[in-house]
Amino acid sequence: MKRLTRPVWTLALCIALFPPIWAVLAPYLGVQTGAVALICAGIYVAAGNEKKHALPMSLGFLAGDFWAVSALWIMDKLSWNPNLELFATLFVLGGAAVLIASCLPRVFYLPAWLSGWAIGLTVLAPAGFGAIGTLPLQIGAAMLVGVWYVGVGVDAIHKLLRGKEQGK
């Protein structure tokens, strides 16, 4: 069995403390999609946990959120077979996302865009376009919290605690 080191213990403390603070506060801030932050934070960490990627990742998530709203709007306006609407909409928007992000990699992080789109569709589709209300704004806020508060913020606090452990 692997021995648990101090950095692991301090990371466990940071993860045990800061995301739950968001989970408790989110509904009081009008955000009912708080768990989206944890998904986005996980993607941020999996992508290397580097602050220099936080802005393109944030813009990618927000573009994905916009793409989800756009997809629902397009499918709401079309009067085709629902399967054909779904295929055509995902085909066009998916291809466009790849092309745009590939031309602007410093602006948009493509995996965040595609993940943000999937997150947005997962949350918004059950409501349908006509009833999404403020959900896209709540999703976008939670995405930013995931990258900046849970991702960048927890990493900074963890590094600070590790520096104090090492006498820095």
Side-chain angles (χ1 to χ4, degrees), residues 145-159:
V145 166
V147 173
W148 294 97
Y149 170 70
V150 180
V152 174
V154 167
D155 185 53
I157 292 167
H158 182 239
K159 286 177 180 170

Side-chain angles (χ1 to χ4, degrees), residues 6-161:
R6 279 191 176 215
V8 171
W9 282 104
T10 56
L11 179 60
L13 174 64
C14 288
I15 295 300
L17 179 62
F18 295 106
I21 290 171
W22 164 250
V24 170
L25 292 179
Y28 293 104
L29 299 171
V31 177
Q32 303 302 316
T33 58
V36 167
L38 300 178
I39 297 167
C40 295
I43 293 168
Y44 172 80
V45 171
N49 207 30
E50 295 183 45
K51 188 177 177 182
K52 68 182 180 181
H53 299 301
L55 183 59
M57 188 167 287
S58 296
L59 295 174
F61 282 130
L62 294 176
D65 189 24
F66 176 76
W67 239 227
V69 173
S70 299
L72 291 176
W73 180 80
I74 290 166
M75 290 185 290
D76 186 62
K77 298 300 175 195
L78 294 175
S79 57
W80 304 345
N81 173 291
N83 290 328
L84 182 57
E85 290 176 10
L86 178 63
F87 179 84
T89 302
L90 298 181
F91 179 91
V92 170
L93 291 179
V98 170
L99 295 173
I100 294 167
S102 295
C103 289
L104 301 168
R106 291 185 178 162
V107 177
F108 299 107
Y109 182 63
L110 179 60
W113 189 330
L114 298 176
S115 299
W117 187 21
I119 292 164
L121 286 174
T122 300
V123 175
L124 299 174
F129 181 75
I132 59 175
T134 64
L135 279 174
L137 298 175
Q138 293 178 48
I139 293 167
M143 289 172 165
L144 294 176
V145 166
V147 173
W148 294 97
Y149 170 70
V150 180
V152 174
V154 167
D155 185 53
I157 292 167
H158 182 239
K159 286 177 180 170
L160 179 72
L161 291 173

